[in-house]
Amino acid sequence: MSATTQDEGVLDLVIESMTVEAEGVLGLTLVDPGGGWLPEWTPGSHIDLGMLDVVRQYSLCGDPDDRLRYRVAVLREPKSRGGSDYVHRSMRPGEPVEVGGPRNHFPLNPAKEYVFVAGGIGITPILPMIRQAGQHGTPWRLVYGGRSRRSMAFLRSLRQYGDQVQVCPEEETGRLDLDALLPAYDDGLAVYCCGPGGLIDAVESRCAAWPSDAVNFERFVAKDISALPSLPVRVRCARSQLTLDVPAGESILLALELAGVDVANACRDGVCGSCEVPVLGGVPDHRDSIRSGAELTDTTSMAVCVSRAKSDELVLDI
């Protein structure tokens, strides 16, 4: 039996349990109220969690082989826009919750060896990755940074991996010394990094000379694109037979919605990938926080919430 679904693949789940994983971090276990199986997922996947009038994305941190439950962990952000604060303040076991996804824009690709770098709550997508690497017999190690041991989630469960995990609380060891912690590039080595924007930028800079497919990131907060130019663009919708002139400063997603074209979306910030649309013509200017490296030259799809065009016209398969 499969879980109950709504339109657009939204699942009606309930909170089975909540656990304190660290100072300011709550773990949520979500299940189908009827005991049904949940959609499959792979390491690096996230789900959309619906809370009142907001939707937020959280990485799945449980076991992909467990089809009966999803596990996520939520950090209470000091400057919460409503999502994390609501989880910590109001959500309780037994409460129903709408869940979208899962989607994976941070897949674990085959490699000869992995180095995982996690900062704070960025440990969540890494947990199923190290489990899969171990199952496949692939050598790996994890560098895990945070403010303090008190604030770093899942330290107890990580003990089983011994010296494969290097725990680096800032109050004990200072900021991560990436030059010392990351090796020189070797053929077949892959780095996977998730955490604060500053950490991701530092790893990206440290590995700038590496092949683009050897360095992989997931951002929880959208990149700042406010300084990028926003020029007008013409958008042709092939299936809807509409042509829209999107003015400067207006998102393509908003223009599509105003014209009555329904596009799935959740974050509207370029983080979740739910508004990804196939591109039939033109050259997208990718401004989302999902793509990196060679993916920035992809012309087959785009996130219409934040991306624009390098050509005068885009043809979308919608």
PDB file of all heavy atoms in Angstrom, residues 139-177:
ATOM      1  N   PRO A 139      35.946   4.066  -0.356  1.00  0.00           N
ATOM      2  CA  PRO A 139      36.627   4.813   0.712  1.00  0.00           C
ATOM      3  C   PRO A 139      36.044   6.223   0.852  1.00  0.00           C
ATOM      4  O   PRO A 139      35.741   6.876  -0.148  1.00  0.00           O
ATOM      5  CB  PRO A 139      38.089   4.854   0.242  1.00  0.00           C
ATOM      6  CG  PRO A 139      38.217   3.738  -0.731  1.00  0.00           C
ATOM      7  CD  PRO A 139      36.887   3.615  -1.397  1.00  0.00           C
ATOM      8  N   TRP A 140      35.904   6.677   2.088  1.00  0.00           N
ATOM      9  CA  TRP A 140      35.372   8.015   2.320  1.00  0.00           C
ATOM     10  C   TRP A 140      35.870   8.532   3.664  1.00  0.00           C
ATOM     11  O   TRP A 140      36.276   7.775   4.532  1.00  0.00           O
ATOM     12  CB  TRP A 140      33.844   8.031   2.311  1.00  0.00           C
ATOM     13  CG  TRP A 140      33.218   7.229   3.421  1.00  0.00           C
ATOM     14  CD1 TRP A 140      32.853   5.907   3.393  1.00  0.00           C
ATOM     15  CD2 TRP A 140      32.897   7.690   4.754  1.00  0.00           C
ATOM     16  NE1 TRP A 140      32.332   5.520   4.607  1.00  0.00           N
ATOM     17  CE2 TRP A 140      32.347   6.585   5.461  1.00  0.00           C
ATOM     18  CE3 TRP A 140      33.016   8.918   5.406  1.00  0.00           C
ATOM     19  CZ2 TRP A 140      31.916   6.687   6.781  1.00  0.00           C
ATOM     20  CZ3 TRP A 140      32.598   9.008   6.735  1.00  0.00           C
ATOM     21  CH2 TRP A 140      32.045   7.910   7.402  1.00  0.00           C
ATOM     22  N   ARG A 141      35.818   9.855   3.793  1.00  0.00           N
ATOM     23  CA  ARG A 141      36.007  10.477   5.092  1.00  0.00           C
ATOM     24  C   ARG A 141      35.161  11.743   5.144  1.00  0.00           C
ATOM     25  O   ARG A 141      34.805  12.316   4.108  1.00  0.00           O
ATOM     26  CB  ARG A 141      37.474  10.789   5.379  1.00  0.00           C
ATOM     27  CG  ARG A 141      38.142  11.772   4.460  1.00  0.00           C
ATOM     28  CD  ARG A 141      39.628  11.886   4.796  1.00  0.00           C
ATOM     29  NE  ARG A 141      40.314  12.841   3.974  1.00  0.00           N
ATOM     30  CZ  ARG A 141      40.425  14.145   4.270  1.00  0.00           C
ATOM     31  NH1 ARG A 141      39.874  14.626   5.383  1.00  0.00           N
ATOM     32  NH2 ARG A 141      41.076  14.964   3.476  1.00  0.00           N
ATOM     33  N   LEU A 142      34.835  12.138   6.363  1.00  0.00           N
ATOM     34  CA  LEU A 142      33.957  13.285   6.593  1.00  0.00           C
ATOM     35  C   LEU A 142      34.660  14.311   7.466  1.00  0.00           C
ATOM     36  O   LEU A 142      35.205  13.962   8.520  1.00  0.00           O
ATOM     37  CB  LEU A 142      32.657  12.827   7.269  1.00  0.00           C
ATOM     38  CG  LEU A 142      31.777  13.912   7.912  1.00  0.00           C
ATOM     39  CD1 LEU A 142      31.238  14.870   6.860  1.00  0.00           C
ATOM     40  CD2 LEU A 142      30.631  13.266   8.703  1.00  0.00           C
ATOM     41  N   VAL A 143      34.629  15.570   7.033  1.00  0.00           N
ATOM     42  CA  VAL A 143      35.053  16.710   7.839  1.00  0.00           C
ATOM     43  C   VAL A 143      33.776  17.442   8.248  1.00  0.00           C
ATOM     44  O   VAL A 143      33.027  17.929   7.396  1.00  0.00           O
ATOM     45  CB  VAL A 143      35.986  17.652   7.059  1.00  0.00           C
ATOM     46  CG1 VAL A 143      36.334  18.871   7.903  1.00  0.00           C
ATOM     47  CG2 VAL A 143      37.249  16.911   6.634  1.00  0.00           C
ATOM     48  N   TYR A 144      33.526  17.513   9.559  1.00  0.00           N
ATOM     49  CA  TYR A 144      32.264  18.062  10.065  1.00  0.00           C
ATOM     50  C   TYR A 144      32.583  19.226  10.996  1.00  0.00           C
ATOM     51  O   TYR A 144      33.164  19.039  12.064  1.00  0.00           O
ATOM     52  CB  TYR A 144      31.502  16.956  10.793  1.00  0.00           C
ATOM     53  CG  TYR A 144      30.154  17.326  11.370  1.00  0.00           C
ATOM     54  CD1 TYR A 144      29.470  18.474  10.970  1.00  0.00           C
ATOM     55  CD2 TYR A 144      29.546  16.504  12.308  1.00  0.00           C
ATOM     56  CE1 TYR A 144      28.239  18.793  11.500  1.00  0.00           C
ATOM     57  CE2 TYR A 144      28.310  16.801  12.845  1.00  0.00           C
ATOM     58  CZ  TYR A 144      27.656  17.946  12.446  1.00  0.00           C
ATOM     59  OH  TYR A 144      26.428  18.260  12.970  1.00  0.00           O
ATOM     60  N   GLY A 145      32.195  20.420  10.570  1.00  0.00           N
ATOM     61  CA  GLY A 145      32.429  21.615  11.362  1.00  0.00           C
ATOM     62  C   GLY A 145      31.145  22.174  11.946  1.00  0.00           C
ATOM     63  O   GLY A 145      30.049  21.922  11.437  1.00  0.00           O
ATOM     64  N   GLY A 146      31.281  22.931  13.029  1.00  0.00           N
ATOM     65  CA  GLY A 146      30.144  23.573  13.666  1.00  0.00           C
ATOM     66  C   GLY A 146      30.626  24.525  14.735  1.00  0.00           C
ATOM     67  O   GLY A 146      31.827  24.599  15.022  1.00  0.00           O
ATOM     68  N   ARG A 147      29.685  25.260  15.336  1.00  0.00           N
ATOM     69  CA  ARG A 147      30.085  26.220  16.365  1.00  0.00           C
ATOM     70  C   ARG A 147      30.640  25.513  17.597  1.00  0.00           C
ATOM     71  O   ARG A 147      31.649  25.915  18.157  1.00  0.00           O
ATOM     72  CB  ARG A 147      28.896  27.100  16.753  1.00  0.00           C
ATOM     73  CG  ARG A 147      28.367  27.979  15.638  1.00  0.00           C
ATOM     74  CD  ARG A 147      27.343  28.972  16.168  1.00  0.00           C
ATOM     75  NE  ARG A 147      26.336  28.339  17.005  1.00  0.00           N
ATOM     76  CZ  ARG A 147      25.247  27.719  16.552  1.00  0.00           C
ATOM     77  NH1 ARG A 147      25.045  27.643  15.245  1.00  0.00           N
ATOM     78  NH2 ARG A 147      24.357  27.192  17.381  1.00  0.00           N
ATOM     79  N   SER A 148      29.933  24.486  18.056  1.00  0.00           N
ATOM     80  CA  SER A 148      30.331  23.746  19.246  1.00  0.00           C
ATOM     81  C   SER A 148      29.772  22.342  19.135  1.00  0.00           C
ATOM     82  O   SER A 148      28.865  22.075  18.328  1.00  0.00           O
ATOM     83  CB  SER A 148      29.797  24.422  20.512  1.00  0.00           C
ATOM     84  OG  SER A 148      28.375  24.335  20.557  1.00  0.00           O
ATOM     85  N   ARG A 149      30.272  21.437  19.950  1.00  0.00           N
ATOM     86  CA  ARG A 149      29.733  20.077  19.948  1.00  0.00           C
ATOM     87  C   ARG A 149      28.256  20.078  20.333  1.00  0.00           C
ATOM     88  O   ARG A 149      27.480  19.242  19.853  1.00  0.00           O
ATOM     89  CB  ARG A 149      30.536  19.195  20.904  1.00  0.00           C
ATOM     90  CG  ARG A 149      31.956  18.913  20.425  1.00  0.00           C
ATOM     91  CD  ARG A 149      32.714  18.007  21.374  1.00  0.00           C
ATOM     92  NE  ARG A 149      34.091  17.867  20.945  1.00  0.00           N
ATOM     93  CZ  ARG A 149      34.528  16.937  20.105  1.00  0.00           C
ATOM     94  NH1 ARG A 149      33.679  16.038  19.630  1.00  0.00           N
ATOM     95  NH2 ARG A 149      35.799  16.884  19.762  1.00  0.00           N
ATOM     96  N   ARG A 150      27.856  21.008  21.186  1.00  0.00           N
ATOM     97  CA  ARG A 150      26.459  21.063  21.617  1.00  0.00           C
ATOM     98  C   ARG A 150      25.517  21.353  20.453  1.00  0.00           C
ATOM     99  O   ARG A 150      24.366  20.908  20.456  1.00  0.00           O
ATOM    100  CB  ARG A 150      26.280  22.149  22.694  1.00  0.00           C
ATOM    101  CG  ARG A 150      27.073  21.937  23.961  1.00  0.00           C
ATOM    102  CD  ARG A 150      26.749  23.014  24.988  1.00  0.00           C
ATOM    103  NE  ARG A 150      26.899  24.365  24.446  1.00  0.00           N
ATOM    104  CZ  ARG A 150      28.061  25.002  24.340  1.00  0.00           C
ATOM    105  NH1 ARG A 150      29.192  24.416  24.735  1.00  0.00           N
ATOM    106  NH2 ARG A 150      28.120  26.232  23.856  1.00  0.00           N
ATOM    107  N   SER A 151      26.010  22.104  19.477  1.00  0.00           N
ATOM    108  CA  SER A 151      25.156  22.516  18.361  1.00  0.00           C
ATOM    109  C   SER A 151      25.253  21.596  17.155  1.00  0.00           C
ATOM    110  O   SER A 151      24.554  21.809  16.160  1.00  0.00           O
ATOM    111  CB  SER A 151      25.523  23.945  17.934  1.00  0.00           C
ATOM    112  OG  SER A 151      26.822  23.973  17.358  1.00  0.00           O
ATOM    113  N   MET A 152      26.104  20.575  17.219  1.00  0.00           N
ATOM    114  CA  MET A 152      26.348  19.702  16.068  1.00  0.00           C
ATOM    115  C   MET A 152      25.516  18.425  16.189  1.00  0.00           C
ATOM    116  O   MET A 152      25.714  17.623  17.095  1.00  0.00           O
ATOM    117  CB  MET A 152      27.839  19.390  15.959  1.00  0.00           C
ATOM    118  CG  MET A 152      28.685  20.641  15.714  1.00  0.00           C
ATOM    119  SD  MET A 152      30.467  20.379  15.843  1.00  0.00           S
ATOM    120  CE  MET A 152      30.759  19.403  14.371  1.00  0.00           C
ATOM    121  N   ALA A 153      24.578  18.271  15.279  1.00  0.00           N
ATOM    122  CA  ALA A 153      23.635  17.155  15.330  1.00  0.00           C
ATOM    123  C   ALA A 153      24.287  15.840  14.898  1.00  0.00           C
ATOM    124  O   ALA A 153      25.238  15.822  14.119  1.00  0.00           O
ATOM    125  CB  ALA A 153      22.433  17.449  14.444  1.00  0.00           C
ATOM    126  N   PHE A 154      23.751  14.754  15.451  1.00  0.00           N
ATOM    127  CA  PHE A 154      24.075  13.378  15.051  1.00  0.00           C
ATOM    128  C   PHE A 154      25.500  12.956  15.401  1.00  0.00           C
ATOM    129  O   PHE A 154      26.011  11.984  14.833  1.00  0.00           O
ATOM    130  CB  PHE A 154      23.819  13.173  13.548  1.00  0.00           C
ATOM    131  CG  PHE A 154      22.407  13.483  13.138  1.00  0.00           C
ATOM    132  CD1 PHE A 154      22.120  14.623  12.389  1.00  0.00           C
ATOM    133  CD2 PHE A 154      21.362  12.658  13.511  1.00  0.00           C
ATOM    134  CE1 PHE A 154      20.823  14.917  12.011  1.00  0.00           C
ATOM    135  CE2 PHE A 154      20.056  12.943  13.141  1.00  0.00           C
ATOM    136  CZ  PHE A 154      19.780  14.078  12.394  1.00  0.00           C
ATOM    137  N   LEU A 155      26.147  13.647  16.326  1.00  0.00           N
ATOM    138  CA  LEU A 155      27.500  13.249  16.711  1.00  0.00           C
ATOM    139  C   LEU A 155      27.517  11.829  17.288  1.00  0.00           C
ATOM    140  O   LEU A 155      28.456  11.065  17.040  1.00  0.00           O
ATOM    141  CB  LEU A 155      28.080  14.228  17.733  1.00  0.00           C
ATOM    142  CG  LEU A 155      28.510  15.598  17.198  1.00  0.00           C
ATOM    143  CD1 LEU A 155      29.110  16.434  18.322  1.00  0.00           C
ATOM    144  CD2 LEU A 155      29.500  15.458  16.046  1.00  0.00           C
ATOM    145  N   ARG A 156      26.488  11.479  18.053  1.00  0.00           N
ATOM    146  CA  ARG A 156      26.467  10.144  18.667  1.00  0.00           C
ATOM    147  C   ARG A 156      26.444   9.057  17.598  1.00  0.00           C
ATOM    148  O   ARG A 156      27.186   8.066  17.682  1.00  0.00           O
ATOM    149  CB  ARG A 156      25.270  10.021  19.596  1.00  0.00           C
ATOM    150  CG  ARG A 156      25.184   8.672  20.298  1.00  0.00           C
ATOM    151  CD  ARG A 156      24.040   8.640  21.299  1.00  0.00           C
ATOM    152  NE  ARG A 156      24.214   9.665  22.322  1.00  0.00           N
ATOM    153  CZ  ARG A 156      23.340   9.886  23.292  1.00  0.00           C
ATOM    154  NH1 ARG A 156      22.212   9.181  23.343  1.00  0.00           N
ATOM    155  NH2 ARG A 156      23.561  10.812  24.194  1.00  0.00           N
ATOM    156  N   SER A 157      25.576   9.216  16.578  1.00  0.00           N
ATOM    157  CA  SER A 157      25.479   8.180  15.545  1.00  0.00           C
ATOM    158  C   SER A 157      26.729   8.138  14.671  1.00  0.00           C
ATOM    159  O   SER A 157      27.053   7.094  14.087  1.00  0.00           O
ATOM    160  CB  SER A 157      24.235   8.401  14.683  1.00  0.00           C
ATOM    161  OG  SER A 157      24.314   9.636  13.987  1.00  0.00           O
ATOM    162  N   LEU A 158      27.461   9.246  14.582  1.00  0.00           N
ATOM    163  CA  LEU A 158      28.670   9.278  13.768  1.00  0.00           C
ATOM    164  C   LEU A 158      29.850   8.576  14.438  1.00  0.00           C
ATOM    165  O   LEU A 158      30.846   8.273  13.774  1.00  0.00           O
ATOM    166  CB  LEU A 158      29.050  10.722  13.440  1.00  0.00           C
ATOM    167  CG  LEU A 158      28.145  11.440  12.432  1.00  0.00           C
ATOM    168  CD1 LEU A 158      28.464  12.935  12.390  1.00  0.00           C
ATOM    169  CD2 LEU A 158      28.299  10.830  11.035  1.00  0.00           C
ATOM    170  N   ARG A 159      29.745   8.306  15.740  1.00  0.00           N
ATOM    171  CA  ARG A 159      30.853   7.652  16.438  1.00  0.00           C
ATOM    172  C   ARG A 159      31.167   6.276  15.863  1.00  0.00           C
ATOM    173  O   ARG A 159      32.303   5.800  15.950  1.00  0.00           O
ATOM    174  CB  ARG A 159      30.524   7.520  17.924  1.00  0.00           C
ATOM    175  CG  ARG A 159      30.497   8.836  18.685  1.00  0.00           C
ATOM    176  CD  ARG A 159      30.037   8.600  20.118  1.00  0.00           C
ATOM    177  NE  ARG A 159      29.824   9.844  20.838  1.00  0.00           N
ATOM    178  CZ  ARG A 159      29.159   9.941  21.978  1.00  0.00           C
ATOM    179  NH1 ARG A 159      28.655   8.834  22.538  1.00  0.00           N
ATOM    180  NH2 ARG A 159      29.014  11.109  22.575  1.00  0.00           N
ATOM    181  N   GLN A 160      30.167   5.632  15.281  1.00  0.00           N
ATOM    182  CA  GLN A 160      30.373   4.279  14.762  1.00  0.00           C
ATOM    183  C   GLN A 160      31.416   4.237  13.648  1.00  0.00           C
ATOM    184  O   GLN A 160      31.979   3.178  13.360  1.00  0.00           O
ATOM    185  CB  GLN A 160      29.052   3.721  14.242  1.00  0.00           C
ATOM    186  CG  GLN A 160      28.485   4.485  13.053  1.00  0.00           C
ATOM    187  CD  GLN A 160      27.150   3.958  12.581  1.00  0.00           C
ATOM    188  OE1 GLN A 160      27.028   2.809  12.180  1.00  0.00           O
ATOM    189  NE2 GLN A 160      26.117   4.816  12.653  1.00  0.00           N
ATOM    190  N   TYR A 161      31.683   5.392  13.032  1.00  0.00           N
ATOM    191  CA  TYR A 161      32.609   5.420  11.900  1.00  0.00           C
ATOM    192  C   TYR A 161      34.053   5.703  12.309  1.00  0.00           C
ATOM    193  O   TYR A 161      34.945   5.743  11.462  1.00  0.00           O
ATOM    194  CB  TYR A 161      32.145   6.454  10.879  1.00  0.00           C
ATOM    195  CG  TYR A 161      30.767   6.163  10.329  1.00  0.00           C
ATOM    196  CD1 TYR A 161      29.687   6.999  10.611  1.00  0.00           C
ATOM    197  CD2 TYR A 161      30.532   5.044   9.531  1.00  0.00           C
ATOM    198  CE1 TYR A 161      28.419   6.740  10.108  1.00  0.00           C
ATOM    199  CE2 TYR A 161      29.264   4.774   9.030  1.00  0.00           C
ATOM    200  CZ  TYR A 161      28.212   5.620   9.326  1.00  0.00           C
ATOM    201  OH  TYR A 161      26.966   5.353   8.833  1.00  0.00           O
ATOM    202  N   GLY A 162      34.286   5.903  13.600  1.00  0.00           N
ATOM    203  CA  GLY A 162      35.644   6.077  14.085  1.00  0.00           C
ATOM    204  C   GLY A 162      36.370   7.244  13.446  1.00  0.00           C
ATOM    205  O   GLY A 162      35.809   8.334  13.279  1.00  0.00           O
ATOM    206  N   ASP A 163      37.632   7.006  13.039  1.00  0.00           N
ATOM    207  CA  ASP A 163      38.458   8.101  12.532  1.00  0.00           C
ATOM    208  C   ASP A 163      38.161   8.464  11.085  1.00  0.00           C
ATOM    209  O   ASP A 163      38.842   9.313  10.510  1.00  0.00           O
ATOM    210  CB  ASP A 163      39.944   7.786  12.707  1.00  0.00           C
ATOM    211  CG  ASP A 163      40.373   6.512  11.987  1.00  0.00           C
ATOM    212  OD1 ASP A 163      39.554   5.951  11.231  1.00  0.00           O
ATOM    213  OD2 ASP A 163      41.528   6.088  12.187  1.00  0.00           O
ATOM    214  N   GLN A 164      37.136   7.838  10.490  1.00  0.00           N
ATOM    215  CA  GLN A 164      36.684   8.309   9.178  1.00  0.00           C
ATOM    216  C   GLN A 164      36.000   9.669   9.289  1.00  0.00           C
ATOM    217  O   GLN A 164      35.849  10.377   8.296  1.00  0.00           O
ATOM    218  CB  GLN A 164      35.719   7.311   8.537  1.00  0.00           C
ATOM    219  CG  GLN A 164      36.365   6.048   8.001  1.00  0.00           C
ATOM    220  CD  GLN A 164      35.340   5.105   7.408  1.00  0.00           C
ATOM    221  OE1 GLN A 164      34.701   4.332   8.129  1.00  0.00           O
ATOM    222  NE2 GLN A 164      35.159   5.179   6.110  1.00  0.00           N
ATOM    223  N   VAL A 165      35.569  10.016  10.509  1.00  0.00           N
ATOM    224  CA  VAL A 165      34.885  11.286  10.752  1.00  0.00           C
ATOM    225  C   VAL A 165      35.793  12.188  11.574  1.00  0.00           C
ATOM    226  O   VAL A 165      36.257  11.803  12.646  1.00  0.00           O
ATOM    227  CB  VAL A 165      33.553  11.065  11.499  1.00  0.00           C
ATOM    228  CG1 VAL A 165      32.895  12.404  11.822  1.00  0.00           C
ATOM    229  CG2 VAL A 165      32.622  10.187  10.667  1.00  0.00           C
ATOM    230  N   GLN A 166      36.044  13.389  11.052  1.00  0.00           N
ATOM    231  CA  GLN A 166      36.845  14.389  11.756  1.00  0.00           C
ATOM    232  C   GLN A 166      35.914  15.503  12.219  1.00  0.00           C
ATOM    233  O   GLN A 166      35.397  16.273  11.413  1.00  0.00           O
ATOM    234  CB  GLN A 166      37.943  14.941  10.845  1.00  0.00           C
ATOM    235  CG  GLN A 166      38.950  15.823  11.558  1.00  0.00           C
ATOM    236  CD  GLN A 166      40.180  16.106  10.694  1.00  0.00           C
ATOM    237  OE1 GLN A 166      40.324  15.565   9.595  1.00  0.00           O
ATOM    238  NE2 GLN A 166      41.060  16.964  11.187  1.00  0.00           N
ATOM    239  N   VAL A 167      35.660  15.564  13.524  1.00  0.00           N
ATOM    240  CA  VAL A 167      34.763  16.559  14.097  1.00  0.00           C
ATOM    241  C   VAL A 167      35.573  17.795  14.477  1.00  0.00           C
ATOM    242  O   VAL A 167      36.563  17.695  15.219  1.00  0.00           O
ATOM    243  CB  VAL A 167      34.031  15.989  15.325  1.00  0.00           C
ATOM    244  CG1 VAL A 167      33.140  17.047  15.962  1.00  0.00           C
ATOM    245  CG2 VAL A 167      33.208  14.762  14.925  1.00  0.00           C
ATOM    246  N   CYS A 168      35.159  18.970  13.984  1.00  0.00           N
ATOM    247  CA  CYS A 168      35.927  20.209  14.158  1.00  0.00           C
ATOM    248  C   CYS A 168      35.048  21.326  14.707  1.00  0.00           C
ATOM    249  O   CYS A 168      34.636  22.237  13.957  1.00  0.00           O
ATOM    250  CB  CYS A 168      36.539  20.640  12.829  1.00  0.00           C
ATOM    251  SG  CYS A 168      37.571  19.413  12.015  1.00  0.00           S
ATOM    252  N   PRO A 169      34.720  21.295  15.997  1.00  0.00           N
ATOM    253  CA  PRO A 169      33.954  22.409  16.578  1.00  0.00           C
ATOM    254  C   PRO A 169      34.809  23.681  16.570  1.00  0.00           C
ATOM    255  O   PRO A 169      35.975  23.657  16.983  1.00  0.00           O
ATOM    256  CB  PRO A 169      33.668  21.943  18.004  1.00  0.00           C
ATOM    257  CG  PRO A 169      33.999  20.478  18.016  1.00  0.00           C
ATOM    258  CD  PRO A 169      35.039  20.274  16.994  1.00  0.00           C
ATOM    259  N   GLU A 170      34.225  24.787  16.137  1.00  0.00           N
ATOM    260  CA  GLU A 170      34.998  26.028  16.018  1.00  0.00           C
ATOM    261  C   GLU A 170      35.542  26.499  17.359  1.00  0.00           C
ATOM    262  O   GLU A 170      36.647  27.034  17.432  1.00  0.00           O
ATOM    263  CB  GLU A 170      34.125  27.117  15.387  1.00  0.00           C
ATOM    264  CG  GLU A 170      34.877  28.393  15.070  1.00  0.00           C
ATOM    265  CD  GLU A 170      34.041  29.393  14.307  1.00  0.00           C
ATOM    266  OE1 GLU A 170      33.000  29.002  13.736  1.00  0.00           O
ATOM    267  OE2 GLU A 170      34.410  30.579  14.293  1.00  0.00           O
ATOM    268  N   GLU A 171      34.789  26.285  18.440  1.00  0.00           N
ATOM    269  CA  GLU A 171      35.251  26.755  19.745  1.00  0.00           C
ATOM    270  C   GLU A 171      36.454  25.940  20.256  1.00  0.00           C
ATOM    271  O   GLU A 171      37.128  26.352  21.197  1.00  0.00           O
ATOM    272  CB  GLU A 171      34.117  26.731  20.762  1.00  0.00           C
ATOM    273  CG  GLU A 171      33.640  25.352  21.163  1.00  0.00           C
ATOM    274  CD  GLU A 171      32.554  25.411  22.228  1.00  0.00           C
ATOM    275  OE1 GLU A 171      31.949  26.490  22.404  1.00  0.00           O
ATOM    276  OE2 GLU A 171      32.305  24.364  22.860  1.00  0.00           O
ATOM    277  N   GLU A 172      36.721  24.801  19.632  1.00  0.00           N
ATOM    278  CA  GLU A 172      37.865  23.975  20.026  1.00  0.00           C
ATOM    279  C   GLU A 172      39.022  24.051  19.030  1.00  0.00           C
ATOM    280  O   GLU A 172      40.195  24.069  19.427  1.00  0.00           O
ATOM    281  CB  GLU A 172      37.433  22.513  20.161  1.00  0.00           C
ATOM    282  CG  GLU A 172      36.386  22.263  21.223  1.00  0.00           C
ATOM    283  CD  GLU A 172      35.946  20.813  21.241  1.00  0.00           C
ATOM    284  OE1 GLU A 172      36.722  19.946  20.758  1.00  0.00           O
ATOM    285  OE2 GLU A 172      34.825  20.531  21.717  1.00  0.00           O
ATOM    286  N   THR A 173      38.705  24.079  17.741  1.00  0.00           N
ATOM    287  CA  THR A 173      39.744  23.966  16.717  1.00  0.00           C
ATOM    288  C   THR A 173      39.847  25.188  15.812  1.00  0.00           C
ATOM    289  O   THR A 173      40.705  25.225  14.931  1.00  0.00           O
ATOM    290  CB  THR A 173      39.502  22.728  15.837  1.00  0.00           C
ATOM    291  OG1 THR A 173      38.236  22.861  15.166  1.00  0.00           O
ATOM    292  CG2 THR A 173      39.484  21.463  16.679  1.00  0.00           C
ATOM    293  N   GLY A 174      38.967  26.174  16.028  1.00  0.00           N
ATOM    294  CA  GLY A 174      38.945  27.317  15.124  1.00  0.00           C
ATOM    295  C   GLY A 174      38.215  26.971  13.831  1.00  0.00           C
ATOM    296  O   GLY A 174      37.644  25.883  13.685  1.00  0.00           O
ATOM    297  N   ARG A 175      38.231  27.898  12.905  1.00  0.00           N
ATOM    298  CA  ARG A 175      37.562  27.662  11.624  1.00  0.00           C
ATOM    299  C   ARG A 175      38.263  26.566  10.837  1.00  0.00           C
ATOM    300  O   ARG A 175      39.463  26.332  11.001  1.00  0.00           O
ATOM    301  CB  ARG A 175      37.519  28.953  10.801  1.00  0.00           C
ATOM    302  CG  ARG A 175      36.617  30.013  11.417  1.00  0.00           C
ATOM    303  CD  ARG A 175      36.326  31.120  10.445  1.00  0.00           C
ATOM    304  NE  ARG A 175      35.379  32.075  10.986  1.00  0.00           N
ATOM    305  CZ  ARG A 175      34.868  33.090  10.299  1.00  0.00           C
ATOM    306  NH1 ARG A 175      35.242  33.293   9.040  1.00  0.00           N
ATOM    307  NH2 ARG A 175      34.000  33.906  10.873  1.00  0.00           N
ATOM    308  N   LEU A 176      37.498  25.910   9.981  1.00  0.00           N
ATOM    309  CA  LEU A 176      38.052  24.811   9.201  1.00  0.00           C
ATOM    310  C   LEU A 176      39.218  25.285   8.343  1.00  0.00           C
ATOM    311  O   LEU A 176      39.100  26.246   7.581  1.00  0.00           O
ATOM    312  CB  LEU A 176      36.972  24.202   8.306  1.00  0.00           C
ATOM    313  CG  LEU A 176      35.797  23.502   8.993  1.00  0.00           C
ATOM    314  CD1 LEU A 176      34.817  22.974   7.957  1.00  0.00           C
ATOM    315  CD2 LEU A 176      36.277  22.379   9.884  1.00  0.00           C
ATOM    316  N   ASP A 177      40.346  24.607   8.468  1.00  0.00           N
ATOM    317  CA  ASP A 177      41.523  24.881   7.643  1.00  0.00           C
ATOM    318  C   ASP A 177      41.432  23.990   6.415  1.00  0.00           C
ATOM    319  O   ASP A 177      41.938  22.856   6.406  1.00  0.00           O
ATOM    320  CB  ASP A 177      42.796  24.599   8.434  1.00  0.00           C
ATOM    321  CG  ASP A 177      44.060  24.922   7.650  1.00  0.00           C
ATOM    322  OD1 ASP A 177      43.958  25.264   6.455  1.00  0.00           O
ATOM    323  OD2 ASP A 177      45.161  24.814   8.230  1.00  0.00           O
TER     324      ASP A 177
END
